[in-house]
Amino acid sequence: MPDHPRRWAALAVLSLTLVAVTLDNSVLNTALPSLAHGLHATTSDLQWITDAYTLVFAAALILAGSLGARLGSRRALIGGLLVFGGGSAVAALSDTPEQLIAWRAVMGLGAAFVMPATLAIITRIFPPAERPKAFAAWSAAAGIGVLIGPVTGGALLEHYSWSSAFWINVPLVAGALVAVLYLVPAVPVVRTGRLDVPGALLSTAAVALLVDFVIQAPTRGWTAATGLAELGAAVVLSVAFVVWQLRASSPLVRLDLFANRTFLLAALSLAVVFFVLFGTLFELSQYLQLVHGYSPLVAGLGAMPFAVAMAATSATSALLSKRLGVRWTLVLGLSLAVVGLLSLSTTAVDTAFWQIAGGTAVIGLGMGMMMAPASLQISGSVPAEYGSMAGALNSVIRELGGVLGIAVLGTVVSSAYRGDPGLVLPDADLPAAHAAAAAMPPADAQRVLSAADAAFTSAMDRGALVAAGIALLMAVAVAVVRPAAPVPPVPAAEDAPAGAVPVPQPA
């Protein structure tokens, strides 16, 4: 389709929709203590309130991307926003944890249609020469939505109840819908044969089981029989999905893309950087609120160095990748993440806020410069009309990376914490130790808190070292693996054969 005359205004609108759906989870994390009190929610309830969104979102992404391409990306975007916004409004009125869990799942379903649609529309309305800049803006919006959530949540909870964490989505979505209707153009519907229903069912079930295994593993143990059975089922379904996709006439996902080393390394780099981001922020939030005793608002400000640094480098990532190339831009971004994580691995109980902010800012610099090139590499590997499929893959990769980051680094930190010989209450995690100390005489409370804070800080440092090691290995892999042949120019949608999906062959 021709370049749209208002494409930059449309990009601003698409970025707003992305901020709206990514803001939600990080706002909710800040509201969990208020939620526990307001709905009399147990720890298990709180976990499912958080995880229901992630589980449905991740599981539905591939199917949502395929349906969105057939319905039209703009229609999918509008429908997803309506479901997400409506689910948010009803969630705010929930009276029980079970009601809130159900509506969080509905919100996840809406978000699954939004994210692939935004990428698909950007790919269609921008010419190839402008896509790096457009993807840079999109990437900044995706990250900033996650990172400003804690600050927004803290500010809301200073004055309002837990329901404000959901009401905030309503005006955001309403504004985005009006702007989409006026500024975002419709893109042609993709007709590539019948919907791959078996592939959709297999992929949805496999991703759902895998995500649930990762989410539940820190609680029930990585070797628990239920979890291993779930993991085994996910592996079997994944193999069945791959076999089916290789045989299907109109596959849901072009698996031959993963034979291209450039595509594969870009996908893995994106997964690793979200692994680092979500895992680090999860632990850092507890450190700032419990060890340092900051309020939710002040603790939320701890994420701002990420956001500011990431926005700065996202804005210049197109220029940087043009000068260095995608490969070395990814290496530089991952290397900066390693430096920031190594800085955080030296954190002590009394480390000043500005020192922590410095470490997180360096991670943000690295993340900002690599998100857009990696996303562009993934979406640029297919013709523009297959942008929804590429957008869904991009989102699944990011989501799985984030879920694994929280689960794996959370397990590393939890194991190191409980294994600390200096703990006074070895069976209590950090929040439980602080709660128990509140009911003790001052001298005993101080002894419990000092031991627990020191143990958690040491464990958090170990988690940062593990994350740094993973990011370093990824940087080395990107640096030493010979890239595949350059991706050929993407044909215009109207010129491409209906079923053709040219895929670059590995070098």
Side-chain angles (χ1 to χ4, degrees):
M1 63 181 292
D3 302 337
H4 193 263
R6 294 197 299 272
R7 58 190 178 276
W8 292 106
L11 175 63
V13 174
L14 295 171
S15 298
L16 172 63
T17 66
L18 205 58
V19 169
V21 297
T22 54
L23 181 76
D24 178 73
N25 255 3
S26 48
V27 169
L28 182 65
N29 287 336
T30 310
L32 287 177
S34 299
L35 243 169
H37 177 74
L39 291 181
H40 306 290
T42 65
T43 300
S44 177
D45 292 333
L46 293 178
Q47 184 176 12
W48 274 110
I49 288 168
T50 302
D51 296 342
Y53 179 95
T54 302
L55 185 62
V56 174
F57 175 66
L61 270 167
I62 294 177
L63 175 58
S66 182
L67 286 173
R70 287 165 169 77
L71 296 171
S73 297
R74 184 170 178 266
R75 290 176 183 166
L77 175 61
I78 292 170
L81 285 171
L82 285 171
V83 172
F84 179 82
S88 298
V90 182
L93 300 172
S94 298
D95 295 320
T96 66
E98 291 76 19
Q99 290 176 5
L100 186 54
I101 291 168
W103 289 110
R104 285 280 292 163
V106 171
M107 292 169 63
L109 180 63
F113 280 86
V114 170
M115 292 193 74
T118 60
L119 267 178
I121 294 171
I122 290 171
T123 304
R124 301 297 295 276
I125 66 176
F126 281 92
E130 293 180 348
R131 282 182 202 151
K133 293 180 180 178
F135 270 75
W138 181 91
S139 298
I144 289 172
V146 173
L147 296 172
I148 66 174
V151 180
T152 305
L156 288 171
L157 293 171
E158 291 280 329
H159 306 286
Y160 306 105
S161 73
W162 63 266
S163 62
S164 61
F166 297 97
W167 285 123
I168 187 64
N169 294 325
V170 176
L172 283 174
V173 168
L177 280 169
V178 172
V180 167
L181 290 170
Y182 278 96
L183 294 173
V184 176
V187 296
V189 174
V190 176
R191 294 180 176 85
T192 56
R194 298 171 61 184
L195 176 65
D196 181 13
V197 175
L201 294 175
L202 288 169
S203 67
T204 300
V207 174
L209 287 170
L210 176 60
V211 171
D212 189 62
F213 164 73
V214 173
I215 287 172
Q216 301 294 333
T219 302
R220 64 190 176 196
W222 289 91
T223 58
T226 303
L228 291 178
E230 198 172 43
L231 177 61
V235 171
V236 170
L237 289 171
S238 298
V239 172
F241 173 72
V242 170
V243 172
W244 176 257
Q245 293 303 283
L246 294 174
R247 297 177 56 188
S249 57
S250 299
L252 198 67
V253 175
R254 298 294 307 203
L255 295 178
D256 40 5
L257 287 172
F258 291 93
N260 182 288
R261 291 188 297 275
T262 304
F263 176 93
L264 183 60
L265 289 173
L268 289 176
S269 297
L270 201 60
V272 165
V273 78
F274 272 83
F275 178 100
V276 167
L277 171 68
F278 279 76
T280 302
L281 284 183
F282 181 76
E283 303 301 337
L284 197 59
S285 176
Q286 294 186 71
Y287 171 81
L288 292 174
Q289 290 193 55
L290 296 173
V291 177
H292 272 279
Y294 294 142
S295 69
L297 176 58
V298 175
L301 290 171
M304 289 308 293
F306 271 113
V308 173
M310 195 186 70
T313 49
S314 290
T316 58
S317 63
L319 179 62
L320 187 65
S321 60
K322 183 178 180 180
R323 175 166 294 188
L324 298 180
V326 171
R327 179 188 183 191
W328 293 109
T329 301
L330 295 181
V331 171
L332 179 58
L334 287 163
S335 299
L336 284 172
V338 172
V339 171
L341 289 164
L342 290 176
S343 172
L344 291 179
S345 73
T346 63
T347 301
V349 172
D350 57 352
T351 297
F353 184 89
W354 68 266
Q355 292 176 274
I356 298 166
T360 58
V362 174
I363 297 173
L365 288 174
M367 185 174 179
M369 70 176 55
M370 64 178 291
M371 274 181 61
S375 296
L376 185 60
Q377 194 69 53
I378 292 169
S379 294
S381 298
V382 297
E385 65 268 26
Y386 288 88
S388 290
M389 182 196 73
L393 283 176
N394 186 301
S395 300
V396 168
I397 289 163
R398 288 151 48 102
E399 194 67 23
L400 288 178
V403 169
L404 281 169
I406 293 174
V408 174
L409 294 183
T411 299
V412 169
V413 173
S414 178
S415 298
Y417 173 82
R418 293 182 182 278
D420 193 296
L423 283 176
V424 178
L425 299 176
D427 295 328
D429 59 15
L430 184 66
H434 275 253
M440 294 180 180
D444 293 338
Q446 184 58 45
R447 191 163 58 92
V448 168
L449 292 177
S450 295
D453 291 350
F456 181 82
T457 304
S458 176
M460 186 180 72
D461 290 348
R462 186 175 300 184
L465 281 175
V466 170
I470 292 171
L472 179 60
L473 288 174
M474 191 70 246
V476 171
V478 175
V480 303
V481 175
R482 182 169 169 251
V487 177
V490 174
E494 54 269 23
D495 298 332
V501 184
V503 177
Q505 297 301 314

